[in-house]
Amino acid sequence: MRRRVIAFALLHLLSFALLASSQRRLVILREDFADFFSGPSALGTADDSHGSEDSAKWDEFGDLEPSLTATGDYDPGSWLPIIESTASSPLSLVNSSSDPREALYFSGVRHMISAAAAASDPADMEVAAAEIEAAASAGLPHAQSALGFLYGTGLMRPQSRSKSFLYHHFAAKGGNMQSKMALAYTYFRQHMHGEAVKLYAELAEVAVASFRISKEPPVIEPIRIHSGTEENKEALRKSRGEADENFQITEYQALKGNSFAMYQMGLLYYYGLRGVRRDNTKALHWLLKAVEKGDPRSMEFLGEMYTRGAGVERNYTKAFKLLTLASKHKVYSAYNGLGYLYVKGYGVEKKNYTKAKEYFEKAAENKEPGGYYNLGVLYLKGIGVKRDLETACKLFVTAANAGQPKAVYQVARLFQTGIGLKKNLQIATHLYKTVAERGPWSSLSSCALESYLKGDVGRSLLLYSRMAELGYEVAQSNAAWILDKYGEQSICMGESGFCTDTERHLRAHTLWWQASEQGNEHAALLIGDAYYYGRGIARDYERAAEAYMHARSQSNAQAIFNIGYMHEHGQGLPLDLHLAKRYYDQALAVDPAAQLPVKLALMGLWIRMNYADSFLVKVIDSLPKLYPRLEAWVDEVLMDEGNVTILTLFACLLAVLYLRERQRRQVEAPQPDDAPN
């Protein structure tokens, strides 16, 4: 007998609950500000010397070093070029490399990605691992990073966290950014914030630099391929690119002259949203057409493109003209672009900090996140205003809460250094991690999703597993879900060939556990189920209860119900019928849709309280043991072994109805004729 009776009623909650971690607001209290804000003389000039050198590093209006703008290679050793060349010209990268170590590395990763396809020969994966190991032994950092992934995952190599850490350490020293992400996440999980913050700060700085000059916009679209235990069909349908019905409708409307549809087409192609491949030429085509139709949003967006030189040749004169037109149509984000041009003196007669401040203030007055951020930079640097760190901090926090990534980076710097805000490495680490995960190394997620949509689940699992190692929660849950859903289809490679059931369960368990640590309540629920049922690990009711308590802290109704059940039966928690009732009631309060299963459970609890030693209670408790064939049938037919509880609780309901009816008849029974009056 078991308690997942409300699964069918709760699945619709999970997709919303999983977003909870990304919706948390950063709340800064007065006591969070540094002590030197306590007196008025501390603001402005009194502390200029203290922060001027540090804030110079954060100058949003400064130019990047020529070496960075010249190379633009923020993710050396990335798998993305190898994936793209595999699709077009498999041997192009291998043959073009003058370094034999790089040739081995490119060949190894190419073979690994190809061998990850379902039903591939494990020998192909062993060849790939051997090539990667040879390049790593020769000292190539990127190969060391890939080998660290193999050892960490247990892919054609015995799983070894120590070896994985060692190879990632050497790769990070050699400049591999993905290994730096992996190391930072390792320290993050161990609450070693002093080490994690250094790596995440470096990664976040690179990510912000890529936002500023990269032609690849800093927009990521993490898609969760599952909703609870089921495939997230709606999200996947919207990610099918040009084959999606909504895309085709938008394109049809754009062709018919709808300016807003033209603007949407431009965004889809520019950012590569919803599975559409990035195409700057098509993006520019649709945005120009929308501008011709007088669409102000397209004017602003095209003005930003000309300002950054992203997707078009940089042209400040055109940028100023378009942003001015957009601002006249009350597109408030255009004020940010105009303010930037006046700060830099681009496309205008000369620099004008007063006008820049006015434009940024207009943007902020209209709740534009970039306005808060840019004003914060002015006050941080004292550009056109008296330097005021407290005001800068408040503006950065406001912008960060609105999702402005560069503002999140700035607040993290303040917490890390203790300038403006009290030093707090834990908060700084969390904030840096948020920004770092938007770096160019996040591009593998879109490749993993594309592979899944094409039916190449094995390759998708490989790429999501790589992203999971870097600390991406969505990738962790996606990889774990694939292992659970498709595990029997020979897509999981283990230490020596296809995964055994034990290897698959343990790998999925590890991924779910990592996701649960990062706030994924469904993952915590599945961890509890794994311990309760003994799936792939030893049955442990106490650890199951611990996992359910973690999911309960995130208001997961099913976990709350499960805790009530465990209290009712004394499994991993003290036997306490009154506390069990309290948890059942709480589950119903959290999710009113759980009314039927909760009522059934409460009826069963009523029988246990009033007829504790009765034969009926013993029958109810022993039903699954007495009828294993029935339980197996329910498992096969209902696709969930926990749903046998529905039948058990239904029996409880019938019993309750029978007992209450018997009581009613006893009360209403006619009195004998000789009864005294």
Side-chain angles (χ1 to χ4, degrees):
M1 188 173 71
R2 188 56 166 96
R3 66 271 174 267
R4 283 183 65 191
V5 298
I6 54 175
F8 63 94
L10 299 180
L11 289 178
H12 69 282
L13 289 178
L14 296 175
S15 59
F16 296 102
L18 294 176
L19 297 175
S21 61
S22 63
Q23 295 173 347
R24 293 174 185 151
R25 290 178 59 83
L26 178 64
V27 180
I28 304 296
L29 304 176
R30 180 69 193 179
E31 52 265 30
D32 289 318
F33 288 104
D35 293 336
F36 57 77
F37 283 148
S38 57
S41 62
L43 299 176
T45 57
D47 202 58
D48 284 351
S49 60
H50 177 74
S52 60
E53 184 177 350
D54 291 294
S55 59
K57 300 177 183 178
W58 304 338
D59 186 359
E60 170 66 13
F61 310 113
D63 294 322
L64 296 177
E65 296 180 8
S67 59
L68 282 177
T69 57
T71 62
D73 187 6
Y74 295 103
D75 188 18
S78 170
W79 292 6
L80 188 60
I82 304 174
I83 295 171
E84 293 174 345
S85 68
T86 300
S88 56
S89 179
L91 298 176
S92 58
L93 278 176
V94 177
N95 295 333
S96 64
S97 177
S98 58
D99 187 339
R101 300 176 306 168
E102 283 190 348
L104 265 177
Y105 167 67
F106 292 145
S107 178
V109 174
R110 181 175 64 83
H111 281 127
M112 178 174 62
I113 293 171
S114 299
S120 293
D121 187 349
D124 295 337
M125 186 64 79
E126 178 56 44
V127 170
E131 289 179 324
I132 291 171
E133 187 165 29
S137 299
L140 185 69
H142 312 318
Q144 292 167 343
S145 177
L147 190 58
F149 165 70
L150 296 182
Y151 274 111
T153 309
L155 188 62
M156 307 312 293
R157 293 291 181 272
Q159 188 173 27
S160 172
R161 291 184 181 179
S162 58
K163 286 187 177 180
S164 176
F165 181 87
L166 186 64
Y167 280 114
H168 279 308
H169 173 78
F170 286 123
K173 290 291 185 182
N176 185 276
M177 306 306 290
Q178 296 190 33
S179 279
K180 290 182 181 181
M181 282 289 289
L183 286 180
Y185 178 59
T186 300
Y187 291 130
F188 175 79
R189 289 193 68 200
Q190 297 173 0
H191 304 290
M192 298 174 64
H193 301 300
E195 297 297 326
V197 75
K198 297 174 186 176
L199 287 167
Y200 275 133
E202 179 185 350
L203 291 158
E205 185 174 3
V206 173
V208 170
S210 72
F211 299 170
R212 291 167 58 185
I213 68 101
S214 174
K215 295 180 190 270
E216 300 296 321
V219 170
I220 57 174
E221 198 178 23
I223 303 297
R224 203 176 298 279
I225 63 177
H226 67 99
S227 177
T229 58
E230 301 299 322
E231 186 176 67
N232 193 352
K233 295 185 183 298
E234 181 63 16
L236 293 175
R237 181 187 63 78
K238 293 179 179 179
S239 303
R240 295 188 180 277
E242 296 179 351
D244 178 37
E245 181 181 355
N246 288 342
F247 175 88
Q248 295 170 358
I249 292 173
T250 303
E251 185 179 36
Y252 175 79
Q253 292 173 336
L255 290 170
K256 289 295 184 180
N258 185 304
S259 63
F260 181 65
M262 294 174 178
Y263 169 67
Q264 287 182 309
M265 291 293 292
L267 293 185
L268 288 172
Y269 278 116
Y270 183 75
Y271 287 123
L273 300 174
R274 295 189 174 186
V276 176
R277 284 194 173 274
R278 287 178 177 171
D279 190 323
N280 288 333
T281 302
K282 289 183 179 180
L284 184 61
H285 165 78
W286 285 114
L287 289 170
L288 287 172
K289 277 188 165 294
V291 169
E292 291 174 4
K293 289 281 187 179
D295 183 73
R297 292 159 298 222
S298 299
M299 295 174 189
E300 187 274 337
F301 194 85
L302 200 55
E304 291 291 340
M305 288 176 64
Y306 279 120
T307 300
R308 299 195 321 127
V312 293
E313 186 175 347
R314 184 172 281 143
N315 189 318
Y316 294 119
T317 302
K318 287 185 178 180
F320 182 79
K321 180 180 178 181
L322 287 165
L323 291 170
T324 301
L325 287 172
S327 67
K328 291 178 179 179
H329 288 86
K330 307 298 182 182
V331 180
Y332 302 119
S333 54
Y335 291 134
N336 283 314
L338 290 171
Y340 172 79
L341 293 176
Y342 274 110
V343 167
K344 297 292 290 183
Y346 293 154
V348 295
E349 292 183 3
K350 61 179 181 179
K351 294 181 180 180
N352 190 324
Y353 297 145
T354 302
K355 280 193 174 183
K357 178 174 177 287
E358 289 175 359
Y359 279 123
F360 292 149
E361 286 176 336
K362 285 183 180 180
E365 287 168 5
N366 290 281
K367 312 299 182 184
E368 169 59 36
Y372 295 119
Y373 170 72
N374 289 322
L375 273 178
V377 174
L378 293 184
Y379 281 105
L380 178 69
K381 287 291 294 174
I383 300 175
V385 295
K386 184 178 180 180
R387 188 166 182 263
D388 187 336
L389 293 180
E390 184 172 12
T391 298
C393 290
K394 291 178 179 178
L395 289 165
F396 286 147
V397 170
T398 302
N401 280 329
Q404 223 285 347
K406 288 181 283 188
V408 177
Y409 171 77
Q410 294 282 21
V411 176
R413 288 283 290 181
L414 297 173
F415 273 117
Q416 182 190 12
T417 59
I419 297 175
L421 294 172
K422 287 184 179 179
K423 192 170 185 177
N424 190 318
L425 295 185
Q426 182 176 357
I427 294 178
T429 301
H430 280 270
L431 295 177
Y432 276 139
K433 183 176 185 289
T434 301
V435 180
E437 288 182 348
R438 301 185 65 155
W441 36 86
S442 66
S443 57
L444 279 185
S445 291
S446 60
C447 296
L449 177 62
E450 183 178 352
S451 296
Y452 183 83
L453 292 171
K454 289 180 177 179
D456 194 348
V457 183
R459 178 181 295 188
S460 179
L461 173 61
L462 176 74
L463 298 178
Y464 275 133
S465 297
R466 173 63 162 176
M467 296 297 291
E469 184 188 40
L470 308 189
Y472 288 84
E473 183 274 316
V474 172
Q476 290 165 350
S477 64
N478 283 350
W481 185 81
I482 289 175
L483 285 167
D484 285 342
K485 183 76 172 179
Y486 298 93
E488 298 178 359
Q489 299 182 18
S490 299
I491 61 168
C492 171
M493 293 285 185
E495 293 184 7
S496 56
F498 292 120
C499 287
T500 63
D501 285 343
T502 300
E503 284 180 315
R504 179 170 60 84
H505 280 304
L506 285 175
R507 191 176 298 179
H509 178 82
T510 299
L511 290 165
W512 283 127
W513 189 266
Q514 291 172 353
S516 72
E517 290 177 340
Q518 300 198 70
N520 186 325
E521 67 175 59
H522 176 67
L525 189 67
L526 289 180
I527 291 296
D529 288 348
Y531 279 118
Y532 189 94
Y533 287 120
R535 294 178 186 153
I537 52 178
R539 178 173 290 184
D540 189 330
Y541 289 139
E542 291 185 359
R543 298 200 70 174
E546 181 183 346
Y548 290 141
M549 285 293 186
H550 182 60
R552 170 186 172 268
S553 67
Q554 298 163 11
S555 300
N556 184 286
Q558 185 172 337
I560 296 170
F561 184 95
N562 294 350
I563 294 169
Y565 180 92
M566 297 180 79
H567 272 300
E568 181 182 351
H569 294 270
Q571 295 176 329
L573 292 171
L575 178 64
D576 190 328
L577 300 185
H578 295 286
L579 197 54
K581 182 182 183 303
R582 185 183 302 175
Y583 278 113
Y584 287 145
D585 291 337
Q586 186 180 351
L588 181 59
V590 170
D591 181 19
Q595 183 172 5
L596 175 60
V598 168
K599 291 297 183 185
L600 290 172
L602 289 174
M603 288 178 182
L605 190 62
W606 180 85
I607 294 175
R608 195 175 299 278
M609 287 179 171
N610 292 278
Y611 300 92
D613 298 324
S614 68
F615 175 74
L616 181 59
V617 172
K618 295 178 181 178
V619 170
I620 292 173
D621 287 342
S622 62
L623 275 178
K625 297 179 181 179
L626 293 174
Y627 300 103
R629 291 184 180 180
L630 176 62
E631 186 176 11
W633 176 81
V634 173
D635 184 22
E636 294 175 3
V637 176
L638 301 183
M639 301 175 65
D640 188 341
E641 75 279 7
N643 287 336
V644 72
T645 315
I646 294 177
L647 301 179
T648 304
L649 292 181
F650 184 68
C652 293
L653 174 60
L654 294 177
V656 170
L657 294 176
Y658 167 75
L659 291 171
R660 289 188 173 179
E661 178 65 16
R662 190 177 69 174
Q663 287 179 340
R664 184 184 66 79
R665 289 181 179 180
Q666 289 175 347
V667 171
E668 295 179 354
Q671 295 180 340
D673 293 338
D674 58 349
N677 292 327

